[in-house]
């Protein structure tokens, strides 16, 4: 709503106006509200046909166009005579993809398909999710970001750099889709465990939003990937002739804060109150501040802090059937006290608080964190960053992880350090000595940064460990028994979580919604999964899982009075499923 003044009988009165024209249709582009000397963008739309239809990824069906469609849309002669349905196209493409031995080549082939035939891309991803998830997401997307300048074909999202300061709203209006529900944004400073990749971090928002559609059913046209380019401190990129971003050191302080603030205001102005803004791969010092600053005024979610926490908590809740006891009976030790580690720790403390009615200040004492300087204890309080201070408990100083394991005697060991090979043979053996069934989660991505491999965890623990990782690992055979490692992948949570926010019309994210998502995911683990030692359900059921997560998140939004889509649907699971995008081909008239 905007305020305008009306002259009436020589006086001045106030009135409100929403951006609609005389016919009651929303003025999407702000043309009617603009003054005559105000610059506007000349948007045009037309029906796609002929060559332009074959070049439009949203509507192109390749050889699946029927004889009637070829006549009606001037395609006769532009295609070979054969008509192949979507199933046959999918079979051919999977055959072709499996010929590639290099994962990055598969990634590039998938990106080419997305730019050529959107519905076939999502059909392929949905039907072959366990095989293709590591291609379009971690670990391959990490390598893709490292080489993004070399493999760049065409823009897949919006690039907002320091050059656009003062005109970000205009840049947002350059994006052709006007009804945006989810934005995934990164500044590229901390891409997976690979560090500062600057503008080349765009692969992450693109990949995440592909999963929002494939796994969560959010329409691709309502998803917007954005990279905010404030420079990079990566010398290799600054000296790379193929680098696609700003060639300058990272902006910080006031300059950075002002650009982000303008961006957040422009997003809300252009897309409204209910657009979900997902922060992705920001460095710790910005991630916590941005989440704290905007969580009260925008619908914001940080996947590294909140999504990781929610998926790990789900695994812990599910694992109780294997290890026994309640969450409050266990002692947790983290290696890594950044945004992932502290985010997981806080959500565990909140869940224990919810289950026991104990204050969260008390439940935090079951959780210990180790950073690069050793165990976080109260004697270090003055030198700690603010997000680490709640975890500084009374204990004598302890330097290394092995000594911390011996001192704390944890039942659960969680790695979120971003440093590979840190769960050594001695650490795993000590965990196995202390516990009948030690729970070991090596969460760092990509695979090269994992704290230990599945094989190491099972072998060093002599088959006692219950193991899950951030990146995928193959099943391991040890002494005649097959162990199937779980994957604590954020893709279990964020697509369903986002869908729940969208279908409820939520205007804010609250911790209770994250707990609801964790409990919903844990409830999807079957006895068959437990028999294999799994604490996460298979990805082959991910759309069903996402619908259940969405329903629980939406229910919590309604319970908290944060939902705006009224009345509340009677069956939220069915409603979530009915709202999901389906990638099957449509018939054209």
């Amino acid at each position: 709503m905007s305020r305008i003044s009306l002259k009436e009988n020589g006086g001045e009165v106030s009135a409100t106006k929403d951006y609609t024209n005389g016919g009651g249709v929303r003025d999407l582009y702000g043309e009617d509200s603009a003054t005559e000397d105000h610059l506007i963008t000349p948007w045009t739309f037309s029906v796609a046909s002929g060559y332009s239809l074959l070049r439009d990824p949203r509507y192109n069906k390749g050889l699946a166009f029927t004889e009637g469609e070829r006549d009606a849309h001037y395609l006769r002669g532009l295609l070979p005579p054969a008509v192949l349905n979507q199933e046959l196209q999918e079979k051919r493409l999977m055959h072709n993809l499996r010929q590639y031995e290099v994962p990055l080549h598969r990634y590039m082939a998938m990106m080419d398909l997305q730019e050529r035939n959107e519905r076939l891309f999502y059909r392929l991803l949905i039907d072959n999710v366990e095989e293709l998830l590591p291609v379009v997401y971690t670990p391959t997307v990490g390598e893709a970001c490292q080489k993004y300048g070399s493999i760049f074909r065409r823009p897949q999202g919006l690039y907002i750099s320091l050059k656009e300061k003062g005109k970000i709203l205009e840049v947002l209006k350059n994006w052709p889709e006007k009804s945006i529900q989810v934005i995934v944004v990164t500044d590229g400073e901390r891409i997976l465990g690979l560090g500062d990749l600057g503008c080349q971090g765009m692969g992450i928002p693109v990949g995440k939003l592909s999963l929002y559609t494939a796994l969560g059913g959010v329409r691709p046209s309502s998803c917007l990937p954005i990279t905010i380019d404030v420079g990079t401190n990566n010398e290799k990129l600054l000296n790379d002739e193929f680098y696609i971003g700003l060639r300058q050191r990272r902006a910080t302080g006031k300059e950075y804060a002002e650009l982000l603030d303008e961006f957040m205001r422009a997003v809300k102005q252009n897309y409204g109150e209910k657009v979900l803004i997902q922060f992705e791969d920001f460095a710790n010092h910005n991630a916590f501040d941005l989440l704290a600053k905007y969580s009260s005024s925008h619908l914001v979610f940080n996947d590294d802090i909140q999504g990781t926490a929610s998926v790990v908590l789900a695994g812990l809740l599910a694992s109780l059937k294997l290890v026994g006891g309640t969450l409050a009976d266990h002692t947790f030790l983290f290696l890594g006290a950044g945004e992932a580690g502290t985010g997981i720790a806080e959500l565990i403390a909140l869940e224990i608080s919810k289950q026991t009615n104990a204050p969260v200040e008390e439940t935090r004492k079951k959780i210990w964190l180790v950073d690069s300087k050793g165990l976080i204890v109260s004697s270090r309080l003055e030198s700690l960053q603010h997000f680490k201070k709640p975890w500084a408990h009374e204990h004598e100083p302890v330097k290394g992880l092995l000594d911390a394991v011996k001192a704390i005697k944890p039942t659960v060991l969680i790695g979120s350090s971003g440093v590979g090979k840190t769960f050594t043979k001695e650490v795993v053996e000590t965990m196995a000595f202390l516990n009948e069934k030690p729970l070991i989660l090596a969460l760092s991505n990509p695979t090269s940064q994992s704290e230990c491999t599945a094989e190491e965890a099972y072998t060093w623990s002599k088959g006692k460990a219950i193991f899950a990782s951030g990146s995928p690992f193959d099943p391991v055979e040890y002494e005649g028994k097959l162990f199937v490692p779980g994957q604590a992948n954020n893709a279990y949570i964020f697509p369903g979580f986002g869908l729940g926010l969208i279908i409820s019309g939520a205007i804010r994210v609250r911790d209770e919604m994250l707990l609801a998502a964790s409990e919903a995911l844990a409830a999807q683990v079957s006895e068959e999964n437990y028999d294999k030692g799994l604490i996460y359900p298979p990805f082959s059921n991910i759309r069903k899982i996402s619908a259940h997560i969405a329903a629980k998140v939406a229910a919590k939004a309604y319970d908290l009075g944060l939902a705006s889509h009224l009345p509340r649907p009677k069956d939220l699971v069915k409603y979530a499923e009915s709202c999901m995008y389906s990638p099957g081909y449509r018939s054209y008239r």
Side-chain angles (χ1 to χ4, degrees):
M1 302 285 276
S2 69
R3 209 79 178 166
I4 62 170
S5 294
L6 298 176
K7 293 283 184 181
E8 184 173 332
N9 298 329
E12 192 169 78
V13 298
S14 290
T16 56
K17 174 187 178 181
D18 65 2
Y19 295 121
T20 58
N21 61 24
V25 179
R26 185 160 178 246
D27 175 22
L28 288 173
Y29 311 111
E31 294 178 15
D32 296 343
S33 60
T35 60
E36 288 189 8
D37 58 351
H38 191 123
L39 297 174
I40 63 167
T41 308
W43 299 105
T44 64
F45 294 92
S46 62
V47 176
S49 63
Y51 204 66
S52 63
L53 177 55
L54 297 179
R55 292 293 180 271
D56 189 332
R58 293 169 300 174
Y59 301 116
N60 178 31
K61 299 195 289 185
L63 291 177
F65 284 106
T66 65
E67 297 291 347
E69 287 171 335
R70 294 180 188 209
D71 285 330
H73 289 273
Y74 306 100
L75 298 173
R76 187 65 67 184
L78 298 180
L79 292 167
V83 177
L84 304 184
N85 62 25
Q86 194 177 31
E87 289 70 29
L88 205 53
Q89 290 178 320
E90 183 182 354
K91 183 179 179 182
R92 182 186 65 186
L93 275 165
M94 285 307 299
H95 172 77
N96 292 343
L97 280 171
R98 288 169 183 147
Q99 305 306 306
Y100 293 111
E101 294 183 4
V102 179
L104 185 62
H105 293 166
R106 287 186 191 175
Y107 174 88
M108 292 168 68
M110 286 295 287
M111 292 305 103
D112 283 345
L113 177 60
Q114 188 178 18
E115 292 172 12
R116 186 173 72 248
N117 186 330
E118 188 174 85
R119 285 181 177 269
L120 186 55
F121 169 83
Y122 287 113
R123 169 56 66 205
L124 213 65
L125 193 47
I126 290 168
D127 291 349
N128 305 275
V129 63
E130 291 181 307
E131 184 174 350
L132 294 180
L133 190 62
V135 176
V136 300
Y137 190 47
T138 181
T140 310
V141 72
E143 184 185 358
C145 286
Q146 288 177 308
K147 299 173 180 175
Y148 210 74
S150 300
I151 66 174
F152 180 81
R153 305 287 175 84
R154 73 172 181 82
Q156 293 175 289
L158 273 180
Y159 294 85
I160 296 173
S161 74
L162 290 167
K163 291 180 179 180
E164 282 72 57
K165 192 173 183 183
K167 47 190 174 185
I168 293 178
L169 183 59
E170 294 173 42
V171 174
L172 292 178
K173 289 185 177 183
N174 287 341
W175 188 249
E177 301 293 345
K178 302 302 149 195
S179 183
I180 298 298
Q181 293 175 310
V182 185
I183 290 171
V184 176
V185 59
T186 186
D187 71 352
E189 188 168 4
R190 200 226 60 175
I191 298 298
L192 302 175
L194 303 170
D196 186 350
L197 297 184
C199 194
Q200 297 188 169
M202 179 57 96
I204 297 294
V206 169
K208 289 273 181 178
L209 286 168
S210 296
L211 301 187
Y212 259 110
T213 297
L215 313 186
V218 179
R219 292 191 67 79
S221 60
S222 66
C223 297
L224 175 54
I226 294 180
T227 291
I228 293 180
D229 186 358
V230 295
T232 178
N233 294 335
N234 186 324
E235 292 293 341
K236 187 178 176 184
L237 291 179
L238 290 172
N239 296 319
D240 183 353
E241 62 178 328
F242 298 130
Y243 180 55
I244 58 175
L246 289 177
R247 291 180 187 275
Q248 65 174 66
R249 310 288 295 180
R250 276 192 173 272
T252 57
K254 185 181 177 186
E255 187 179 17
Y256 180 89
E258 285 178 353
L259 189 75
L260 265 293
D261 197 54
E262 183 190 347
F263 167 73
M264 295 299 289
R265 283 187 284 107
V267 164
K268 196 168 176 180
Q269 185 177 345
N270 204 45
Y271 301 120
E273 186 86 8
K274 292 177 284 188
V275 62
L276 171 61
I277 304 167
Q278 179 170 313
F279 296 122
E280 199 67 46
D281 288 353
F282 284 76
N284 288 345
H285 55 274
N286 290 322
F288 288 101
D289 291 346
L290 289 170
L291 192 59
K293 182 175 181 180
Y294 294 109
S295 58
S296 60
S297 59
H298 292 68
L299 183 66
V300 291
F301 172 72
N302 186 304
D303 192 42
D304 304 301
I305 299 172
Q306 297 166 299
T308 302
S310 188
V311 77
V312 172
L313 177 58
L316 295 175
L317 291 172
S319 71
L320 295 176
K321 286 197 177 181
L322 295 173
V323 298
T326 66
L327 213 57
D329 295 329
H330 290 272
T331 303
F332 305 86
L333 179 65
F334 284 78
L335 177 64
E339 54 195 282
T342 54
I344 300 164
E346 184 66 15
L347 206 63
I348 294 170
L350 286 169
E351 180 68 17
I352 296 174
S353 174
K354 178 184 169 185
Q355 292 179 4
T356 62
N357 290 322
V360 73
E361 292 77 16
E362 196 63 33
T363 60
R364 286 186 185 128
K365 292 176 182 174
K366 299 287 292 179
I367 303 164
W368 299 81
L369 277 68
V370 173
D371 65 8
S372 59
K373 294 182 175 63
L375 191 67
I376 293 177
V377 293
S378 52
S379 60
R380 293 178 53 194
L381 198 60
E382 292 302 314
S383 63
L384 291 173
Q385 292 163 287
H386 66 90
F387 53 86
K388 295 182 183 181
K389 290 186 177 183
W391 312 103
H393 308 317
E394 286 292 334
H395 198 282
E396 62 193 39
V398 178
K399 275 291 179 195
L401 176 63
L402 181 59
D403 291 337
V405 170
K406 290 175 180 175
I408 303 301
K409 297 179 173 55
T411 54
V412 181
L413 179 63
I414 300 174
S416 60
S417 61
V419 182
K421 308 296 181 189
T422 42
F423 288 176
T424 61
K425 188 169 187 277
E426 293 78 11
V427 166
V428 174
E429 285 176 344
T430 305
M431 284 294 295
F433 174 76
L434 293 170
N435 301 285
E436 187 57 39
K437 288 184 177 178
L439 185 55
I440 297 174
L441 306 181
L443 303 177
S444 294
N445 287 316
T447 313
S448 59
Q449 306 304 116
S450 187
E451 284 78 8
C452 69
T453 66
E455 186 176 9
E456 289 167 345
Y458 293 127
T459 305
W460 292 340
S461 68
K462 294 184 167 55
K464 291 171 69 175
I466 296 164
F467 176 80
S469 55
S471 290
F473 284 103
D474 292 329
V476 176
E477 189 173 332
Y478 178 76
E479 293 189 349
K481 185 178 178 184
L482 189 69
F483 293 87
V484 183
Q487 189 184 357
N489 193 322
N490 291 25
Y492 276 117
I493 288 287
F494 70 81
F497 188 82
L499 180 64
L501 298 175
I502 290 167
I503 65 174
S504 63
I507 56 170
R508 298 290 179 270
V509 170
R510 294 289 178 265
D511 288 333
E512 292 91 333
M513 298 175 185
L514 297 167
L515 297 178
S518 299
E519 291 161 9
L521 176 56
Q524 295 299 307
V525 185
S526 68
E527 287 301 326
E528 184 186 350
N529 303 146
Y530 284 125
D531 291 343
K532 294 178 181 175
L534 284 169
I535 55 175
Y536 292 100
F539 262 110
S540 53
N541 298 331
I542 188 62
R543 280 207 151 198
K544 173 176 168 280
I545 294 164
S546 292
H548 280 271
I549 291 171
K552 291 290 186 184
V553 170
K556 189 57 69 174
Y558 283 107
D559 294 344
L560 295 172
L562 294 170
S564 63
H565 287 171
L566 301 170
R568 175 176 176 162
K570 287 180 182 172
D571 189 329
L572 280 166
V573 175
K574 281 187 177 175
Y575 181 63
E577 288 173 340
S578 72
C579 292
M580 284 183 162
Y581 165 85
S582 173
Y585 285 151
R586 308 297 294 270
S587 297
Y588 301 149
R589 60 173 181 259

